[in-house]
Amino acid sequence: MTAISIFDAIRSDHLDVARSLLDKNKALVHQKDQRGSTPLLLATYYGHKEMTALLLSYGADLNIQDASGNTALMGVCFKGFYEIAALLVREGADVNVKNFNEATALIYAATFGHKDIVKLLLTHGADANAVDNKGFTAAMHAEEHGMDLSGILKK
């Protein structure tokens, strides 16, 4: 089977197909597509919690970055998938990785007003003072986008 098969299984959330492919070739968990996404990055992007757990059980790299430097945790913070964010953090995802724009998972969660994820990240050591390539912190992004995170993030 080709590497694209694992990506098709993940997009359509076919756990049994993905498990079968991984049982035959565990290296598929580390494959990258043309955008630099791995199966884990794709599963988290689509909000597939069980698929995410399956990929982690096969040794998926929690902190691998795509072609833009984004991690799986950054993607779920952008989209607001709390349960997957909690799973990734519990499994050891680095909450302070920066992408190629120097943004962090906390900056994404704050920008889109995902208070529960902001709290989760801060509880697990996210740096509230980290700045992106524009010099903005998570609190500054939240304010700029009209998100009320007062009391959670300090300016």
Side-chain angles (χ1 to χ4, degrees), residues 16-118:
D16 292 338
V17 173
R19 184 178 293 111
S20 176
L21 290 167
L22 290 164
D23 283 344
K24 291 176 186 170
N25 183 359
K26 289 181 178 35
L28 290 176
V29 78
H30 303 295
Q31 288 288 327
K32 287 191 172 189
D33 67 11
Q34 64 277 9
R35 291 189 208 140
S37 292
T38 62
L40 180 65
L41 288 162
L42 195 61
T44 57
Y45 176 83
Y46 284 108
H48 300 317
K49 183 181 176 189
E50 293 80 14
M51 185 69 76
T52 298
L54 175 72
L55 294 165
L56 291 174
S57 76
Y58 280 86
D61 183 344
L62 285 163
N63 298 308
I64 198 156
Q65 294 175 285
D66 66 12
S68 297
N70 294 311
T71 63
L73 184 59
M74 288 175 189
V76 298
C77 290
F78 170 82
K79 291 200 154 214
F81 299 140
Y82 177 83
E83 288 184 16
I84 299 173
L87 172 63
L88 294 171
V89 169
R90 185 171 56 248
E91 292 295 320
D94 185 339
V95 297
N96 289 308
V97 171
K98 289 189 169 198
N99 68 11
F100 299 153
N101 291 322
E102 298 183 42
T104 63
L106 182 62
I107 287 173
Y108 283 120
T111 297
F112 295 97
H114 302 302
K115 290 181 184 183
D116 51 348
I117 297 176
V118 168

